């Protein structure tokens, strides 16, 4: 009898979430197997934005530079109303001083996936195409999965853990029975990759705020290339499967004075707002669209799935490597599900406003928004709040089991504030996929000795006014997790607090 194939983590689904999970686990020394039922990677895409927090995390595996080089920075967002250009919101370096990536970055999902596939292949892992998960069981000791391979034959696979990254119609989620409560927007979304001309094809983002169907024109790298994302409603929404580009509202396109010279591809899709009840069940996990889906407002979906993957990856590696107990994996759901629920609620409210019918909604969009938004964006606190929220650098895990202490304005669970003080970049050491300790000021010999004995890097930064302005405390201790979030913030750089933190959570740092 043929023995089942074995791996430590079986990943179902090779979109950005599954690919990032596979890449991070492989870099951490975990044996993975990643399968996808499609014959090839996608050549069309819906997701475009790569947020600043994702780029920060991507520094860990030297991905950020490639995305910036191949993608496109958005210098401004333009609002159109009643067929006229109504406002321009400058966004060139909206997050200046907050991150090494203070801009809005566009990099289409299909190109993004190809980059991840290349990097994964360089580490010796390839996606198994035309391979489908048929069923699985969890006996408490391992996952036993039945697969159908490219040759049509069934095969067995045993894995310590299963990761469902298989999208909105996830078979992993359906098998676990964790539900997917929420709803579906009545509008049909469409995406079109075009070659074009006119005012909206100038390297900036353009949005039509009129009463016509919603339309946004996103710039792509290359002259004359753009991505249209829009909606259709009324009777057209009833025939989404047969909808063609000729059927979309050309009124919105004409409002923007856009000349479509060539449609390279066109697709339609329904958008839902849903979050599953649980992100973990036994040895199986749900990530990305398998766990949460929402409107594309703010470009959050793909980035949130990538955040799921990096959050889970270091925890799986720690448990599989014997450096933590299985209960560490419970923190994945605790840390990610609350954010997903907030995100779905927020994007739902924004999308409902943007697409609302009626005279009041029209006046708010076409008259009030173009007048107030430029003024609001020009106000530094609002500008900073908007960037922090959309870029996901404000996401934190405060008050959760892995987060402890406070020093200065920084709490356990926070993203470490970014500080560039002269030539020193305090995020530079975060490209290590490991625990580390930061001190801003001076650290005593006991802490140096403890870190050396436990093989934990200690980074001491000369104190400067920039650190104080960022909310860091002088001579405090900050313990950083492998995913670069602050685990512990202690006002005194005392090795004993590290011992207690690790002992309380039964971790070997």
């Amino acid at each position: 009898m043929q023995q089942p194939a074995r791996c430590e983590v079986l990943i179902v689904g090779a979109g950005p979430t599954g690919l990032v999970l596979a890449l991070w686990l492989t870099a951490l020394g975990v044996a993975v197997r990643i399968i996808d039922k499609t014959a090839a990677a996608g050549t069309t895409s819906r997701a475009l934005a790569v947020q600043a927090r994702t780029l920060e995390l991507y520094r860990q595996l030297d991905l950020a530079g490639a995305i910036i080089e191949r993608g496109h920075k958005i210098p401004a967002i333009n609002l159109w109303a009643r067929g006229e250009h109504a406002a321009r919101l400058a966004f060139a370096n909206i997050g200046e001083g907050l991150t090494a990536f203070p801009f809005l970055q566009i990099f289409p999902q299909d190109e993004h996936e190809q980059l991840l596939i290349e990097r994964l292949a360089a580490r010796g892992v390839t996606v198994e195409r035309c391979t489908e998960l048929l069923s699985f069981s969890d006996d408490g000791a391992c996952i036993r999965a039945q697969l159908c391979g490219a040759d049509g034959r069934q095969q067995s696979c045993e894995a310590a853990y299963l990761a469902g990254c298989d999208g909105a119609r996830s078979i992993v989620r359906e098998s676990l029975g964790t539900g997917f409560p929420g709803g579906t927007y009545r509008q049909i979304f469409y995406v079109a990759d075009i070659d074009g001309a006119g005012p909206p094809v100038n390297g900036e983002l353009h949005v039509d705020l009129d009463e016509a169907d919603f339309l946004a024109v996103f710039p792509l790298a290359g002259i004359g290339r753009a991505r249209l994302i829009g909606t259709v409603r009324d009777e057209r929404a009833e025939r989404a499967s047969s909808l063609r580009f000729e059927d979309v509202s050309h009124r919105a396109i004409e409002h923007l004075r856009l000349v479509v010279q060539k449609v390279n591809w066109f697709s339609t899709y329904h958008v839902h707002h849903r979050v599953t009840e649980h992100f973990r069940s036994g040895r199986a996990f749900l990530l990305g669209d398998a766990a949460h889906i929402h409107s594309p407002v703010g470009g959050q979906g793909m980035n949130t799935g990538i955040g799921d993957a990096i959050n889970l990856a270091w925890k799986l590696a720690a448990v599989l490597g014997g450096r933590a107990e299985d209960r560490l994996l419970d923190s994945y759901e605790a840390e990610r599900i609350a954010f997903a629920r907030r995100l779905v609620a927020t994007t739902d409210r924004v999308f409902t406003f943007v697409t609302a019918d009626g005279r009041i909604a029209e006046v708010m969009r076409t008259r009030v928004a173009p007048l107030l938004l430029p003024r609001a964006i020009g106000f530094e606190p609002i500008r900073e709040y908007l960037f922090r929220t959309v870029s996901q650098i404000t996401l934190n895990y405060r008050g959760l089991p892995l987060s402890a202490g406070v020093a200065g304005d920084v709490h356990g669970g926070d993203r470490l504030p970014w500080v560039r003080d002269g030539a020193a970049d305090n995020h530079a050491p975060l490209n290590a996929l490991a625990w580390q300790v930061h001190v801003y000021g001076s650290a005593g010999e006991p802490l140096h000795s403890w870190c050396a004995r436990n093989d934990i890097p200690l980074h001491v930064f000369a104190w400067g006014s920039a650190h104080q302005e960022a909310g860091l405390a002088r001579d405090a201790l900050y313990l950083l997790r492998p995913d670069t979030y602050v685990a512990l913030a202690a006002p005194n750089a005392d090795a004993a607090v590290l011992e207690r933190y690790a002992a309380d959570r039964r971790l070997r740092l």
Side-chain angles (χ1 to χ4, degrees), residues 25-44:
L25 285 172
T26 301
L28 289 165
V30 175
V32 305
R33 186 175 179 186
I34 179 168
I35 66 171
D36 196 284
K37 62 183 180 181
T38 62
T43 56
T44 63

Side-chain angles (χ1 to χ4, degrees), residues 177-211:
T178 56
F180 212 26
T184 303
Y185 295 107
R186 74 181 190 279
Q187 296 92 341
I188 294 294
F189 279 73
Y190 70 84
V191 185
D193 190 314
I194 67 150
D195 294 333
V201 190
N202 65 346
E204 299 181 353
L205 172 60
H206 295 257
V207 179
D208 178 41
L209 296 176
D210 225 325
E211 74 278 5

Side-chain angles (χ1 to χ4, degrees), residues 173 178-181 274-279 286 290-292 337 341:
R173 186 189 64 246
T178 56
F180 212 26
R274 303 177 184 275
V275 183
T276 189
E277 297 287 357
H278 295 287
F279 283 23
L286 296 170
H292 46 79
I337 198 167
R341 286 171 174 161

Side-chain angles (χ1 to χ4, degrees), residues 468-481:
Q468 184 173 3
E469 291 170 6
L472 295 161
R474 187 169 189 169
D475 300 336
L477 177 153
Y478 298 97
L479 174 65
L480 279 300
R481 307 176 352 173

Side-chain angles (χ1 to χ4, degrees), residues 6 65 278 289 316 362 419 436 455 460 489 506:
R6 287 182 169 82
H278 295 287
D289 286 356
L316 284 170
E362 179 192 343
V419 179
Q436 58 185 273
D455 197 26
V460 180
R506 298 184 182 179

Side-chain angles (χ1 to χ4, degrees), residues 131-153:
T131 303
E132 187 173 1
L133 174 69
L134 300 177
S135 64
F136 68 90
S137 61
D138 179 354
D139 66 5
C142 75
I143 292 285
R144 291 184 169 84
Q146 294 298 312
L147 312 177
C148 181
D151 59 3
R153 296 181 181 180

Side-chain angles (χ1 to χ4, degrees), residues 236-275:
R236 293 168 297 165
E238 303 299 322
R239 51 187 180 90
S241 60
S242 61
L243 206 67
R244 301 174 302 163
F245 184 75
E246 291 75 15
D247 299 318
V248 306
S249 176
H250 289 277
R251 182 178 179 185
I253 293 172
E254 290 163 1
H255 278 175
L256 296 181
R257 305 176 197 168
L258 174 65
V259 178
V260 178
Q261 298 168 329
K262 179 184 178 185
V263 179
N264 298 309
W265 58 262
F266 172 79
S267 65
T268 62
Y269 59 101
H270 284 278
V271 170
H272 311 267
H273 43 102
R274 303 177 184 275
V275 183

